[in-house]
Amino acid sequence: DGGITQSPKYLFRKEGQNVTLSCEQNLNHDAMYWYRQDPGQGLRLIYYSQIVNDFQKGDIAEGYSVSREKKESFPLTVTSAQKNPTAFYLCASSIGRTNNYGYTFGSGTRLTVV
Amino acid sequence: GQNIDQPTEMTATEGAIVQINCTYQTSGFNGLFWYQQHAGEAPTFLSYNVLDGLEEKGRFSSFLSRSKGYSYLLLKELQMKDSASYLCAVLPNDYKLSFGAGTTVTVRA
């Protein structure tokens, strides 16, 4: 079955550490996205990529980095520069800029700073 | 920036009907989506509206008025499994989906 796989489901980070969240899709979608979800707030866009080897900053990119070396993969690194990283992170993909089904989401990674 | 508003919480009884409103002010409009999200899980697609009017899909219906910047999601014959968060999202001119904060619906027996 096609879909998006995020790993790990839960991740704990110590202060000052970088951590990388994995996102893999086998839907042959061109575009991929990373969102952050906090209680009481809408999903906020961190980074997005419309095509391989290209990505753009979203609304809250500071303290995060991404790469898009393969169409299937869009890993997100949460760096030590991100001061409040505890959140639920969602990866999504779409066929292109517009389609009638919006985005397909992964099941998320819950990151906690300890 | 984009502005999308929806109520924070709603409670209804099993078998009843609930209507979740969403108002938006965005830079352009290329469609409005509704997603359902159970706690700790991925949002799943419910509906898409790009033209004015009502789209019906089983127990769920979605309405759009572009001139009023308004949509609603109607959930009929509520079941316990419908307890979830419902996200309104708009696709503006930059084609980056922008989300409201979500409405948590609690269905009581």
Side-chain angles (χ1 to χ4, degrees):
Chain A
D1 285 339
I4 298 184
T5 301
Q6 287 188 242
S7 61
K9 191 168 178 65
Y10 298 96
L11 186 58
F12 296 90
R13 191 194 93 169
K14 292 182 180 178
E15 296 277 356
Q17 265 186 344
N18 291 357
V19 291
T20 297
L21 283 59
S22 170
C23 178
E24 303 278 333
Q25 55 98 357
N26 61 1
L27 298 165
N28 200 32
H29 284 176
D30 289 313
M32 297 186 74
Y33 313 83
W34 273 105
Y35 283 89
R36 169 181 172 141
Q37 187 173 36
D38 294 280
Q41 297 191 45
L43 276 67
R44 291 183 291 167
L45 184 64
I46 304 172
Y47 267 98
Y48 65 102
S49 169
Q50 301 282 7
I51 197 169
V52 175
N53 292 321
D54 185 54
F55 50 83
Q56 306 293 330
K57 291 182 179 180
D59 300 319
I60 56 164
E62 186 175 351
Y64 300 97
S65 65
V66 294
S67 62
R68 186 85 187 276
E69 296 175 1
K70 297 187 298 182
K71 188 175 186 178
E72 303 79 21
S73 179
F74 192 41
L76 173 75
T77 297
V78 184
T79 74
S80 57
Q82 171 49 240
K83 297 306 176 190
N84 186 22
T86 295
F88 189 51
Y89 290 86
L90 285 162
C91 179
S93 70
S94 66
I95 293 172
R97 296 181 83 192
T98 60
N99 67 82
N100 293 359
Y101 295 95
Y103 299 175
T104 300
F105 285 88
S107 55
T109 293
R110 187 164 297 281
L111 174 64
T112 304
V113 173
V114 296
Chain B
Q2 322 299 343
N3 190 31
I4 301 170
D5 289 319
Q6 51 182 129
T8 304
E9 294 179 336
M10 301 184 76
T11 301
T13 306
E14 199 173 12
I17 298 173
V18 70
Q19 177 175 315
I20 306 170
N21 296 325
C22 173
T23 58
Y24 63 90
Q25 290 177 301
T26 55
S27 305
F29 180 82
N30 292 290
L32 186 144
F33 298 85
W34 285 95
Y35 288 86
Q36 181 191 59
Q37 185 181 24
H38 286 97
E41 296 183 11
T44 54
F45 170 83
L46 288 178
S47 68
Y48 169 72
N49 294 70
V50 67
L51 299 176
D52 290 350
L54 186 69
E55 295 278 345
E56 297 187 83
K57 210 185 272 189
R59 294 189 299 114
F60 294 0
S61 303
S62 57
F63 172 83
L64 175 67
S65 169
R66 288 172 295 170
S67 62
K68 295 181 180 177
Y70 168 71
S71 172
Y72 68 73
L73 179 70
L74 194 69
L75 285 62
K76 294 179 276 191
E77 300 169 19
L78 278 173
Q79 301 175 10
M80 299 300 289
K81 67 178 181 180
D82 298 330
S83 292
S85 184
Y86 292 84
L87 312 179
C88 175
V90 176
L91 198 64
N93 277 348
D94 62 8
Y95 291 97
K96 293 182 291 183
L97 207 55
S98 186
F99 289 83
T103 300
T104 299
V105 172
T106 302
V107 181
R108 294 194 293 205

